[in-house]
Amino acid sequence: MAVIDLTGTYSFSRDGRRLAYEWRKSNRGELRVVSLEGSGVPGNRVLFASPEIRVIEAHGWSPDGKWIAVAIRRLDRGAQLGLVSTDDGRLRVLKSIDWQLPAHMLFVPGVIDSTTNVVEHPEVVADRIAAAVEAIGDRTRVIAGVD
């Protein structure tokens, strides 16, 4: 599977001076914050990162700008809702959810786009299937589908 870095969800602070965003690095999620003040290319800082986190989505800021609401998907397929401190990056978990696909169900992710006339590269399709299998944890319960 190809490893790429990319950005995910983002959220502007209420005063518009900062931006929190997810950065996926080597299939691990980081929460980063960048100042939008000044000129030139803004620097960013990693606010929260953990080797156990696959995705960390920034969904909003507290009114005082001291916390960022996040949704987390862990490598063990668990999920968490929490708050990350903008001062020191500590995570305060509000709710944890262990997720398992029900025993009688299969997962059919759309891995090929049927709304365009572009043929997708086989490696891209294979990466999507591999990501679905990794998310479910059992390759016998994943069937590739069309969007």
Side-chain angles (χ1 to χ4, degrees):
M1 180 184 299
V3 177
I4 59 172
D5 296 350
L6 56 100
T7 187
T9 60
Y10 60 89
S11 178
F12 289 96
S13 62
R14 291 181 181 232
D15 63 9
R17 295 180 179 174
R18 294 177 289 174
L19 175 71
Y21 63 97
E22 174 193 15
W23 185 258
R24 293 190 195 159
K25 185 174 184 166
S26 302
N27 204 25
R28 300 295 182 262
E30 296 178 350
L31 182 64
R32 296 185 178 192
V33 174
V34 62
S35 172
L36 301 176
E37 296 182 316
S39 61
V41 178
N44 67 61
R45 73 178 173 120
V46 176
L47 189 60
F48 180 85
S50 169
E52 300 161 0
I53 303 298
R54 175 188 309 269
V55 174
I56 181 166
E57 300 173 339
H59 286 286
W61 293 68
S62 63
D64 61 6
K66 293 184 179 181
W67 296 93
I68 300 169
V70 295
I72 294 172
R73 284 185 278 166
R74 302 175 56 81
L75 290 176
D76 63 6
R77 292 186 299 283
Q80 295 174 316
L81 298 176
L83 299 171
V84 174
S85 168
T86 58
D87 291 332
D88 59 13
R90 83 178 174 275
L91 172 65
R92 182 173 142 201
V93 176
L94 303 174
K95 178 77 175 173
S96 291
I97 304 163
D98 289 329
W99 182 84
Q100 295 290 330
L101 187 66
H104 63 280
M105 296 181 91
L106 298 174
F107 182 60
V108 185
V111 296
I112 299 174
D113 187 356
S114 64
T115 61
T116 67
N117 61 355
V118 176
V119 176
E120 294 179 283
H121 194 281
E123 287 182 14
V124 172
V125 175
D127 286 348
R128 292 175 184 162
I129 295 168
V133 168
E134 188 175 344
I136 297 301
D138 180 357
R139 67 183 179 92
T140 65
R141 299 179 66 198
V142 176
I143 300 172
V146 179
D147 287 342

